[in-house]
Amino acid sequence: MRGTVLKRMTYAAVLALLVLVPWVLGQYAVATLSRMLIFAVLAMSVNLLTGIAGLPTLGQSAYFGVGAYTGALVAINVSAVGVVQLVVATLAGAVAAAVTGPVAVRARGVPFLMITLAIGEIAYSAAGRMESVTRGTDGLSGIPPLVFAPGGEGTVNEGLVYYYVLAVFLICFLLLQVLLRSPFGLTLRGFRDNELRLRAVGYRTTRYALAVYVIAGAVAGAAGSLWATSQRFVSPGDLGFEIAALALLAVIIGGVGSMWGACLGAALVILTRDYFGGMLAGRGPLLLGILFVVTVYLLPRGIAGTSDALASLRRRRRAEVAS
């Protein structure tokens, strides 16, 4: 009970700090926080596959890019309302995952990882060559500012855009928490731990793998929509291997299997790449490499895994003292 109360208080404190961000920080810092939250949504989609279902992936950047381009095209040609872009981009990510997923989910382990990597590279190549739709390597620019409701005016205020991103991030986080506590989420953990046993008792595990793959694609698509809304520019680089690798790195640093750990890992990755890397003349990749090595050696279970292990150790010691 005490641990639950402490966890809720921590979540409330973090939420309060996130709400106060535009009031205490400058525009650059607010924009950086927006990128952190967007990347956290992408990292949660990776963690859903890698940490919860046990399907390590390097292909979520494909659905992130599909969502980004879809959101951008909807904003330019249909509606600048953020919610419209978000819904269509989320559906596009889910559809793209549903089309490519049957090929991927037949494999497990390293073969699955390599298939998802190939899907990401195909999407990257397609984005560069479909110039009539994506404008090729020049990127898709001219995305109108975010509009909150039909008939409203666009806003370029970083604080308002940040609040929109924060709201979508919180919705995604809460929905995934509900999903993971449902029978479907428990089945995914069983799929990760012992797929053969699930098959033996009658579960069609490939269907579960495809279902979680589509859900993860939808979450990545939502993250892509947020990216197009906040940056107002999309390029093939947003589908590249670097984005996929950074998302997986965020999950490893934060703790595989933990959603809040994935979010924290995403924040550290963006902070290291964009802020500290800028301070050291573009040495962000070097700093990320150092961060990864330090995490592997000092925190092999990631930040969240180490925190949970320490909490479990403290509870065990209290029980021993009480007895």
Side-chain angles (χ1 to χ4, degrees):
M1 178 66 70
R2 183 179 178 183
T4 302
V5 173
L6 182 60
K7 182 179 291 187
R8 289 178 179 176
M9 291 177 62
T10 302
Y11 280 147
V14 171
L15 178 58
L17 290 174
L18 290 174
V19 171
L20 290 173
V21 161
W23 299 92
V24 297
L25 298 178
Q27 287 193 359
Y28 178 76
V30 172
T32 302
L33 262 294
S34 293
R35 291 197 296 274
M36 288 181 183
L37 292 174
I38 294 169
F39 204 71
V41 177
L42 176 60
M44 286 192 289
S45 78
V46 174
N47 190 49
L48 185 61
L49 287 174
T50 302
I52 305 302
L55 297 170
T57 177
L58 279 171
Q60 290 307 98
S61 59
Y63 312 115
F64 177 78
V66 167
Y69 274 110
T70 301
L73 291 171
V74 169
I76 294 171
N77 301 306
V78 181
S79 173
V81 177
V83 175
V84 175
Q85 301 166 33
L86 177 67
V87 171
V88 177
T90 302
L91 291 175
V95 170
V99 171
T100 57
V103 177
V105 298
R106 294 182 180 276
R108 301 290 184 269
V110 175
F112 179 86
L113 183 73
M114 299 310 295
I115 290 173
T116 57
L117 174 61
I119 291 172
E121 291 301 301
I122 290 171
Y124 170 75
S125 178
R129 295 187 178 187
M130 296 173 62
E131 296 185 4
S132 61
V133 178
T134 65
R135 299 180 190 169
T137 55
D138 292 334
L140 193 59
S141 58
I143 301 172
L146 170 68
V147 174
F148 289 101
E153 295 184 357
T155 178
V156 293
N157 185 291
E158 288 291 351
L160 293 177
V161 174
Y162 167 81
Y163 279 132
Y164 170 73
V165 172
L166 176 61
V168 177
F169 162 78
L170 292 174
I171 291 171
C172 291
F173 185 84
L174 292 174
L175 288 177
L176 287 175
Q177 290 298 321
V178 171
L179 175 70
L180 296 182
R181 290 173 180 165
S182 68
F184 178 77
L186 296 176
T187 303
L188 291 180
R189 289 187 172 90
F191 174 86
R192 174 194 63 196
D193 296 336
N194 197 325
E195 183 183 357
L196 292 179
R197 181 172 294 179
L198 279 182
R199 286 183 179 178
V201 296
Y203 283 87
R204 297 183 178 181
T205 55
T206 301
R207 290 188 178 182
Y208 279 90
L210 180 59
V212 72
Y213 194 88
V214 172
I215 294 171
V219 176
S225 172
L226 295 178
W227 183 259
T229 298
S230 65
Q231 303 301 307
R232 297 175 60 194
F233 178 77
V234 183
S235 71
D238 297 325
L239 291 79
F241 173 76
E242 179 183 358
I243 298 299
L246 289 179
L248 184 58
L249 177 62
V251 171
I252 294 172
I253 291 173
V256 177
S258 169
M259 285 300 171
W260 74 262
C263 296
L264 182 57
L268 288 175
V269 166
I270 296 299
L271 186 66
T272 301
R273 187 193 68 175
D274 294 355
Y275 184 74
F276 294 118
M279 291 175 60
L280 297 177
R283 289 185 171 85
L286 174 62
L287 294 177
L288 284 172
I290 294 173
L291 177 63
F292 176 69
V293 172
V294 169
T295 301
V296 168
Y297 276 97
L298 299 182
L299 303 172
R301 299 176 62 181
I303 297 172
T306 303
S307 175
D308 292 342
L310 291 175
S312 178
L313 180 61
R314 285 194 294 268
R315 287 194 297 268
R316 192 180 302 118
R317 287 180 175 176
R318 289 196 200 101
E320 291 174 356
V321 170
S323 62

